[in-house]
Amino acid sequence: GAGVSQSPSNKVTEKGKDVELRCDPISGHTALYWYRQSLGQGLEFLIYFQGNSAPDKSGLPSDRFSAERTGGSVSTLTIQRTQQEDSAVYLCASSPDGVGYGYTFGSGTRLTVV
Amino acid sequence: EDQVTQSPEALRLQEGESSSLNCSYTVSGLRGLFWYRQDPGKGPEFLFTLYSAGEEKEKERLKATLTKKESFLHITAPKPEDSATYLCAVQATDRGSTLGRLYFGRGTQLTVWP
């Protein structure tokens, strides 16, 4: 499709389980970002992929969080041993070159940890 | 840590009642300031990019302006369909490998009633 696609749109999981969130960026976009949005909070940066460069993981909140990007396209964000504080909307965005002008966001995955 | 502060947190306007939203920022070097609109259940949608003090951009009833330390989003004669959360974000020049990262404010929730 023409936009950034995220799946699933909603995920309810039990505390302690692992979850995988998927992002399909716009074709040809070299930059891909993951952000987290909690109720009443701003968007929190998690990780940034740019082309073949090493990803910037400086925003990942703990070692339970990891992400990969295969073939410079699809990205998966994995959260291990989920905790209730992980509940949030996880947003993926892509851009042609890492400049904010070109950011296109997906609709997000709403994660609820019970 | 860089900070982006938006005010007010919430704003209720009657249809046709013009107003302004504020975004102040404290990055030491600004690459760009971005305004996004976010509707419930959706990802942020790009509105404007501003790069230097004195710059202005317009789109329909919205006009964004930039000074050295803040930006304003002016809404002229708003309509109910302008109701959304408006997010401000900055991209800094002095972040090394995180050049693509956007720092977001918490947003202003705008409600326009008929």
Side-chain angles (χ1 to χ4, degrees), chain A residues 48-106:
Chain A
Y48 165 43
F49 296 90
Q50 173 60 291
N52 295 320
S53 302
D56 174 6
K57 304 179 182 182
S58 61
L60 294 178
S62 77
D63 58 8
R64 296 185 296 104
F65 288 72
S66 63
E68 63 177 17
R69 188 178 185 190
T70 54
S73 182
V74 172
S75 177
T76 302
L77 177 68
T78 301
I79 309 173
Q80 296 178 312
R81 305 180 304 281
T82 52
Q83 303 295 313
Q84 288 187 330
E85 60 263 30
D86 299 334
S87 296
V89 176
Y90 289 81
L91 289 162
C92 175
S94 69
S95 79
D97 56 6
V99 178
Y101 168 85
Y103 267 55
T104 301
F105 281 87

Side-chain angles (χ1 to χ4, degrees), chain A residues 25-37:
Chain A
I26 292 174
S27 178
H29 281 194
T30 61
L32 186 147
Y33 314 81
W34 284 97
Y35 283 81
R36 177 167 72 173
Q37 188 173 33

Side-chain angles (χ1 to χ4, degrees), chain B residues 2-19:
Chain B
D2 297 313
Q3 287 193 347
V4 179
T5 304
Q6 292 188 246
S7 62
E9 291 184 7
L11 181 64
R12 288 177 55 85
L13 299 174
Q14 188 171 14
E15 184 172 4
E17 179 186 1
S18 302
S19 188

Side-chain angles (χ1 to χ4, degrees), chain A residues 35 37 41 56 98 100-101 103 106, chain B residues 34 36 38 43 91 98 100 102:
Chain A
Y35 283 81
Q37 188 173 33
Q41 303 295 315
D56 174 6
Y101 168 85
Y103 267 55
Chain B
F34 306 86
Y36 287 81
Q38 186 173 25
Q91 195 172 43
T98 60
L102 292 183

